[in-house]
Amino acid sequence: AQKITQTQPGMFVQEKEAVTLDCTYDTSDPSYGLFWYKQPSSGEMIFLIYQGSYDQQNATEGRYSLNFQKARKSANLVISASQLGDSAMYFCAMSSLQYNFNKFYFGSGTKLNVKP
Amino acid sequence: DGGITQSPKYLFRKEGQNVTLSCEQNLNHDAMYWYRQDPGQGLRLIYYSQIVNDFQKGDIAEGYSVSREKKESFPLTVTSAQKNPTAFYLCGCRTVNTGELFFGEGSRLTVL
């Protein structure tokens, strides 16, 4: 069974500081992908970053980086230099070879509030 | 502009009525998806389709139906059999051999 766990329902961070959002996953499949999405209050899901299970290096996309610790089955999102516009819900997701990468499982999300 | 269009954005329905949510994409992606999101929760998969005229049930398919007659279209019908249909519905698509899902802006259904 595939499972994604996000244990932080809400987080606060001061503007311009870095913040880490936690994500752990559970799968027996050796080949999988991990994703982070941002959901502003408007509701749209915005793709942020992707990490493949065989990737040797942690993924980075601008101010976003993914701290991938395979042995611990964690894929934490790090946002550097937080901005007010980063306030949103953040979801971790996973797909795996078991379902030909067609089924995406999502965590329950973390609500990030950036304080001025 | 390429993207995914969901309509309507807001929909109200009386109990016992079926309602169809539209999802159209012009990204030429093969796979399309429907997810449901309840307040404070993550997304749960309702149905997905990898190719035209074929679709598979997700984890919460009961009370929903879909069709995939064209590559660019994947409408979702919420039937009267769905016990608690009030939710936010998101449609997504992706190319089969690459990673991320792209999403539309969502449709919010309220049953009165």
Side-chain angles (χ1 to χ4, degrees):
Chain A
Q2 322 285 324
K3 187 177 181 182
I4 294 282
T5 303
Q6 294 180 254
T7 58
Q8 305 155 312
M11 291 275 290
F12 285 90
V13 65
Q14 201 70 37
E15 192 179 8
K16 300 180 185 177
E17 292 185 351
V19 62
T20 298
L21 307 183
D22 294 341
C23 173
T24 57
Y25 59 92
D26 187 19
T27 181
S28 57
D29 201 321
S31 182
Y32 52 89
L34 296 158
F35 306 80
W36 276 92
Y37 285 85
K38 173 184 178 180
Q39 187 179 43
S41 57
S42 60
E44 184 180 4
M45 294 285 281
I46 302 167
F47 166 72
L48 296 177
I49 196 167
Y50 163 79
Q51 179 85 42
S53 60
Y54 293 116
D55 291 344
Q56 295 296 313
Q57 293 189 331
N58 288 342
T60 61
E61 288 286 348
R63 293 187 299 111
Y64 304 108
S65 60
L66 201 152
N67 184 1
F68 181 46
Q69 298 188 44
K70 195 170 183 177
R72 298 179 62 181
K73 293 190 174 180
S74 74
N76 299 338
L77 177 71
V78 180
I79 305 175
S80 64
S82 297
Q83 302 172 355
L84 296 178
D86 293 334
S87 293
M89 285 289 291
Y90 289 82
F91 292 94
C92 180
M94 177 177 68
S95 65
S96 72
L97 182 61
Q98 179 181 3
Y99 300 105
N100 290 323
F101 300 100
N102 278 312
K103 295 180 82 170
F104 283 64
Y105 288 90
F106 287 79
S108 57
T110 296
K111 184 167 186 177
L112 178 65
N113 285 290
V114 180
K115 300 186 291 184
Chain B
D1 282 356
I4 306 173
T5 301
Q6 289 187 240
S7 63
K9 194 165 185 176
Y10 298 95
L11 186 61
F12 296 89
R13 179 195 107 173
K14 293 182 179 179
E15 278 193 32
Q17 290 181 333
N18 292 355
V19 62
T20 297
L21 307 180
S22 169
C23 179
E24 303 278 332
Q25 55 103 356
N26 60 7
L27 298 169
N28 199 33
H29 286 182
D30 303 298
M32 296 188 74
Y33 300 77
W34 276 105
Y35 282 89
R36 168 182 172 140
Q37 185 179 26
D38 293 287
Q41 297 188 31
L43 279 64
R44 293 184 290 167
L45 181 62
I46 304 173
Y47 269 98
Y48 67 101
S49 167
Q50 295 174 254
I51 57 173
V52 174
N53 293 323
D54 187 47
F55 46 83
Q56 286 76 41
K57 293 182 179 180
D59 301 313
I60 57 165
E62 185 175 350
Y64 299 97
S65 66
V66 293
S67 63
R68 187 87 187 276
E69 297 177 1
K70 299 184 296 183
K71 185 176 183 178
E72 59 269 24
S73 178
F74 192 42
L76 173 74
T77 297
V78 184
T79 75
S80 56
Q82 169 51 233
K83 299 303 180 190
N84 186 20
T86 294
F88 186 58
Y89 292 88
L90 281 157
C91 178
C93 67
R94 63 184 280 267
T95 56
V96 173
N97 293 323
T98 62
E100 71 271 20
L101 270 174
F102 294 90
F103 285 95
E105 293 186 342
S107 293
R108 192 169 299 278
L109 172 63
T110 303
V111 174
L112 303 173

